Amino acid sequence: MTLFQWLAGGFMLSLAGVECYLQLGGKSRRLIGGIRLVVWLAAALLIVFPSATTPIAKFLSIGRGADVLLYCTVIAFLLSFFYVIHSLEKHREQLTYLVRNLAVSAPVHRPQPKPATIDPPNESEVQA
């Protein structure tokens, strides 16, 4: 194994360990935490055994196993991006609804500033 495989594989396994700790402590949502745990373990296995993706690549008529990983990563990032955008839009709509209801139920009356008036000119200014 190369130095990269030791470092990156160990890092992925440590992330999986942290996820297990969070799951056992009840500090992580079960479904999302389970997905993260599977991702960290799969990443660690694929880093340690990079030739494991070659049969999948051959089955899908893709040249190399690394290309399969790249394509899967791009698809996963796109799905995550659209999910986050959708969540932000949903939160924006909820916030707008909340602010509107709050504004209608408890309006804030602020004193209006007095409009600026222009004083009429003095008689001495007019004759000059």
Side-chain angles (χ1 to χ4, degrees), residues 72-93:
C72 290
T73 302
V74 168
I75 291 170
F77 276 121
L78 287 173
L79 288 173
S80 300
F81 173 75
F82 289 126
Y83 175 77
V84 168
I85 293 298
H86 174 71
S87 295
L88 288 174
E89 183 65 24
K90 191 165 69 170
H91 287 134
R92 188 191 63 77
E93 290 173 1

mmCIF file of all heavy atoms in Angstrom, residues 72-93:
data_model
loop_
_atom_site.group_PDB
_atom_site.id
_atom_site.type_symbol
_atom_site.label_atom_id
_atom_site.label_comp_id
_atom_site.label_asym_id
_atom_site.label_seq_id
_atom_site.Cartn_x
_atom_site.Cartn_y
_atom_site.Cartn_z
ATOM 1 N N CYS A 72 -19.632 8.884 -10.540
ATOM 2 C CA CYS A 72 -20.516 8.776 -9.368
ATOM 3 C C CYS A 72 -20.377 9.996 -8.457
ATOM 4 O O CYS A 72 -21.367 10.487 -7.907
ATOM 5 C CB CYS A 72 -20.219 7.500 -8.597
ATOM 6 S SG CYS A 72 -20.724 6.005 -9.459
ATOM 7 N N THR A 73 -19.160 10.494 -8.322
ATOM 8 C CA THR A 73 -18.937 11.672 -7.493
ATOM 9 C C THR A 73 -19.613 12.899 -8.090
ATOM 10 O O THR A 73 -20.261 13.680 -7.364
ATOM 11 C CB THR A 73 -17.423 11.925 -7.338
ATOM 12 O OG1 THR A 73 -16.826 10.776 -6.766
ATOM 13 C CG2 THR A 73 -17.158 13.133 -6.466
ATOM 14 N N VAL A 74 -19.512 13.075 -9.389
ATOM 15 C CA VAL A 74 -20.155 14.216 -10.044
ATOM 16 C C VAL A 74 -21.673 14.139 -9.874
ATOM 17 O O VAL A 74 -22.329 15.138 -9.536
ATOM 18 C CB VAL A 74 -19.774 14.275 -11.541
ATOM 19 C CG1 VAL A 74 -20.645 15.261 -12.296
ATOM 20 C CG2 VAL A 74 -18.307 14.644 -11.691
ATOM 21 N N ILE A 75 -22.239 12.957 -10.065
ATOM 22 C CA ILE A 75 -23.689 12.788 -9.896
ATOM 23 C C ILE A 75 -24.095 13.065 -8.455
ATOM 24 O O ILE A 75 -25.097 13.746 -8.195
ATOM 25 C CB ILE A 75 -24.112 11.377 -10.346
ATOM 26 C CG1 ILE A 75 -23.968 11.254 -11.862
ATOM 27 C CG2 ILE A 75 -25.539 11.070 -9.918
ATOM 28 C CD1 ILE A 75 -24.116 9.836 -12.381
ATOM 29 N N ALA A 76 -23.314 12.573 -7.492
ATOM 30 C CA ALA A 76 -23.636 12.798 -6.082
ATOM 31 C C ALA A 76 -23.563 14.282 -5.730
ATOM 32 O O ALA A 76 -24.428 14.804 -5.006
ATOM 33 C CB ALA A 76 -22.686 12.001 -5.192
ATOM 34 N N PHE A 77 -22.557 14.995 -6.250
ATOM 35 C CA PHE A 77 -22.464 16.428 -5.979
ATOM 36 C C PHE A 77 -23.624 17.189 -6.603
ATOM 37 O O PHE A 77 -24.164 18.126 -5.995
ATOM 38 C CB PHE A 77 -21.132 17.000 -6.469
ATOM 39 C CG PHE A 77 -20.020 16.834 -5.480
ATOM 40 C CD1 PHE A 77 -18.872 16.134 -5.838
ATOM 41 C CD2 PHE A 77 -20.102 17.351 -4.213
ATOM 42 C CE1 PHE A 77 -17.840 15.969 -4.934
ATOM 43 C CE2 PHE A 77 -19.075 17.191 -3.299
ATOM 44 C CZ PHE A 77 -17.945 16.493 -3.666
ATOM 45 N N LEU A 78 -24.021 16.827 -7.805
ATOM 46 C CA LEU A 78 -25.155 17.502 -8.438
ATOM 47 C C LEU A 78 -26.442 17.264 -7.654
ATOM 48 O O LEU A 78 -27.223 18.201 -7.428
ATOM 49 C CB LEU A 78 -25.311 17.041 -9.885
ATOM 50 C CG LEU A 78 -24.266 17.573 -10.859
ATOM 51 C CD1 LEU A 78 -24.425 16.910 -12.223
ATOM 52 C CD2 LEU A 78 -24.367 19.084 -10.986
ATOM 53 N N LEU A 79 -26.671 16.023 -7.249
ATOM 54 C CA LEU A 79 -27.865 15.732 -6.447
ATOM 55 C C LEU A 79 -27.845 16.507 -5.134
ATOM 56 O O LEU A 79 -28.865 17.071 -4.719
ATOM 57 C CB LEU A 79 -27.965 14.232 -6.176
ATOM 58 C CG LEU A 79 -28.339 13.354 -7.368
ATOM 59 C CD1 LEU A 79 -28.233 11.880 -6.991
ATOM 60 C CD2 LEU A 79 -29.728 13.685 -7.862
ATOM 61 N N SER A 80 -26.697 16.544 -4.484
ATOM 62 C CA SER A 80 -26.582 17.289 -3.225
ATOM 63 C C SER A 80 -26.819 18.780 -3.437
ATOM 64 O O SER A 80 -27.502 19.432 -2.642
ATOM 65 C CB SER A 80 -25.194 17.079 -2.614
ATOM 66 O OG SER A 80 -24.980 15.733 -2.347
ATOM 67 N N PHE A 81 -26.273 19.310 -4.518
ATOM 68 C CA PHE A 81 -26.437 20.729 -4.822
ATOM 69 C C PHE A 81 -27.914 21.079 -5.009
ATOM 70 O O PHE A 81 -28.410 22.044 -4.427
ATOM 71 C CB PHE A 81 -25.641 21.083 -6.078
ATOM 72 C CG PHE A 81 -25.866 22.477 -6.578
ATOM 73 C CD1 PHE A 81 -25.301 23.561 -5.931
ATOM 74 C CD2 PHE A 81 -26.654 22.702 -7.682
ATOM 75 C CE1 PHE A 81 -25.512 24.848 -6.379
ATOM 76 C CE2 PHE A 81 -26.873 23.985 -8.144
ATOM 77 C CZ PHE A 81 -26.300 25.053 -7.487
ATOM 78 N N PHE A 82 -28.621 20.273 -5.806
ATOM 79 C CA PHE A 82 -30.033 20.558 -6.043
ATOM 80 C C PHE A 82 -30.867 20.364 -4.782
ATOM 81 O O PHE A 82 -31.836 21.096 -4.550
ATOM 82 C CB PHE A 82 -30.570 19.716 -7.189
ATOM 83 C CG PHE A 82 -30.038 20.145 -8.532
ATOM 84 C CD1 PHE A 82 -29.422 19.250 -9.369
ATOM 85 C CD2 PHE A 82 -30.137 21.476 -8.944
ATOM 86 C CE1 PHE A 82 -28.919 19.644 -10.596
ATOM 87 C CE2 PHE A 82 -29.638 21.886 -10.167
ATOM 88 C CZ PHE A 82 -29.032 20.967 -10.997
ATOM 89 N N TYR A 83 -30.496 19.409 -3.939
ATOM 90 C CA TYR A 83 -31.196 19.222 -2.678
ATOM 91 C C TYR A 83 -31.020 20.441 -1.772
ATOM 92 O O TYR A 83 -31.983 20.922 -1.162
ATOM 93 C CB TYR A 83 -30.695 17.954 -1.976
ATOM 94 C CG TYR A 83 -31.283 17.767 -0.607
ATOM 95 C CD1 TYR A 83 -32.582 17.297 -0.450
ATOM 96 C CD2 TYR A 83 -30.555 18.085 0.533
ATOM 97 C CE1 TYR A 83 -33.130 17.148 0.809
ATOM 98 C CE2 TYR A 83 -31.088 17.937 1.790
ATOM 99 C CZ TYR A 83 -32.378 17.463 1.923
ATOM 100 O OH TYR A 83 -32.927 17.329 3.176
ATOM 101 N N VAL A 84 -29.806 20.955 -1.686
ATOM 102 C CA VAL A 84 -29.544 22.129 -0.844
ATOM 103 C C VAL A 84 -30.285 23.353 -1.388
ATOM 104 O O VAL A 84 -30.879 24.118 -0.621
ATOM 105 C CB VAL A 84 -28.021 22.386 -0.733
ATOM 106 C CG1 VAL A 84 -27.726 23.743 -0.131
ATOM 107 C CG2 VAL A 84 -27.375 21.295 0.082
ATOM 108 N N ILE A 85 -30.266 23.546 -2.697
ATOM 109 C CA ILE A 85 -30.982 24.676 -3.295
ATOM 110 C C ILE A 85 -32.475 24.569 -2.993
ATOM 111 O O ILE A 85 -33.126 25.559 -2.633
ATOM 112 C CB ILE A 85 -30.731 24.741 -4.819
ATOM 113 C CG1 ILE A 85 -29.271 25.079 -5.101
ATOM 114 C CG2 ILE A 85 -31.660 25.743 -5.498
ATOM 115 C CD1 ILE A 85 -28.840 26.426 -4.584
ATOM 116 N N HIS A 86 -33.039 23.371 -3.121
ATOM 117 C CA HIS A 86 -34.456 23.169 -2.830
ATOM 118 C C HIS A 86 -34.754 23.466 -1.355
ATOM 119 O O HIS A 86 -35.756 24.115 -1.034
ATOM 120 C CB HIS A 86 -34.861 21.734 -3.180
ATOM 121 C CG HIS A 86 -36.256 21.387 -2.792
ATOM 122 N ND1 HIS A 86 -37.349 21.898 -3.445
ATOM 123 C CD2 HIS A 86 -36.737 20.608 -1.790
ATOM 124 C CE1 HIS A 86 -38.447 21.440 -2.875
ATOM 125 N NE2 HIS A 86 -38.101 20.653 -1.861
ATOM 126 N N SER A 87 -33.881 23.008 -0.464
ATOM 127 C CA SER A 87 -34.087 23.261 0.967
ATOM 128 C C SER A 87 -34.014 24.751 1.285
ATOM 129 O O SER A 87 -34.824 25.266 2.066
ATOM 130 C CB SER A 87 -33.037 22.517 1.792
ATOM 131 O OG SER A 87 -33.196 21.141 1.654
ATOM 132 N N LEU A 88 -33.061 25.452 0.697
ATOM 133 C CA LEU A 88 -32.956 26.894 0.926
ATOM 134 C C LEU A 88 -34.192 27.627 0.421
ATOM 135 O O LEU A 88 -34.684 28.554 1.075
ATOM 136 C CB LEU A 88 -31.703 27.447 0.252
ATOM 137 C CG LEU A 88 -30.376 27.081 0.903
ATOM 138 C CD1 LEU A 88 -29.218 27.576 0.041
ATOM 139 C CD2 LEU A 88 -30.282 27.662 2.292
ATOM 140 N N GLU A 89 -34.706 27.223 -0.733
ATOM 141 C CA GLU A 89 -35.910 27.856 -1.272
ATOM 142 C C GLU A 89 -37.112 27.584 -0.371
ATOM 143 O O GLU A 89 -37.914 28.476 -0.103
ATOM 144 C CB GLU A 89 -36.174 27.339 -2.693
ATOM 145 C CG GLU A 89 -37.351 27.981 -3.372
ATOM 146 C CD GLU A 89 -37.161 29.463 -3.626
ATOM 147 O OE1 GLU A 89 -36.010 29.924 -3.698
ATOM 148 O OE2 GLU A 89 -38.187 30.170 -3.756
ATOM 149 N N LYS A 90 -37.218 26.365 0.134
ATOM 150 C CA LYS A 90 -38.316 26.033 1.038
ATOM 151 C C LYS A 90 -38.216 26.836 2.333
ATOM 152 O O LYS A 90 -39.220 27.363 2.826
ATOM 153 C CB LYS A 90 -38.302 24.535 1.327
ATOM 154 C CG LYS A 90 -39.537 24.046 2.036
ATOM 155 C CD LYS A 90 -39.668 22.539 1.997
ATOM 156 C CE LYS A 90 -38.618 21.891 2.837
ATOM 157 N NZ LYS A 90 -38.838 20.442 3.024
ATOM 158 N N HIS A 91 -37.006 26.989 2.868
ATOM 159 C CA HIS A 91 -36.831 27.791 4.084
ATOM 160 C C HIS A 91 -37.142 29.259 3.830
ATOM 161 O O HIS A 91 -37.713 29.938 4.691
ATOM 162 C CB HIS A 91 -35.407 27.631 4.626
ATOM 163 C CG HIS A 91 -35.174 26.313 5.265
ATOM 164 N ND1 HIS A 91 -34.067 25.564 5.018
ATOM 165 C CD2 HIS A 91 -35.916 25.595 6.142
ATOM 166 C CE1 HIS A 91 -34.133 24.447 5.708
ATOM 167 N NE2 HIS A 91 -35.253 24.444 6.394
ATOM 168 N N ARG A 92 -36.776 29.755 2.663
ATOM 169 C CA ARG A 92 -37.093 31.142 2.328
ATOM 170 C C ARG A 92 -38.601 31.362 2.280
ATOM 171 O O ARG A 92 -39.118 32.350 2.805
ATOM 172 C CB ARG A 92 -36.471 31.526 0.986
ATOM 173 C CG ARG A 92 -36.608 33.022 0.673
ATOM 174 C CD ARG A 92 -36.242 33.333 -0.758
ATOM 175 N NE ARG A 92 -37.105 32.716 -1.724
ATOM 176 C CZ ARG A 92 -38.344 33.145 -2.046
ATOM 177 N NH1 ARG A 92 -38.844 34.202 -1.439
ATOM 178 N NH2 ARG A 92 -39.062 32.527 -2.935
ATOM 179 N N GLU A 93 -39.332 30.422 1.686
ATOM 180 C CA GLU A 93 -40.786 30.539 1.633
ATOM 181 C C GLU A 93 -41.395 30.482 3.028
ATOM 182 O O GLU A 93 -42.320 31.245 3.340
ATOM 183 C CB GLU A 93 -41.362 29.433 0.753
ATOM 184 C CG GLU A 93 -41.061 29.600 -0.719
ATOM 185 C CD GLU A 93 -41.499 28.401 -1.546
ATOM 186 O OE1 GLU A 93 -42.056 27.437 -0.965
ATOM 187 O OE2 GLU A 93 -41.284 28.418 -2.764
#
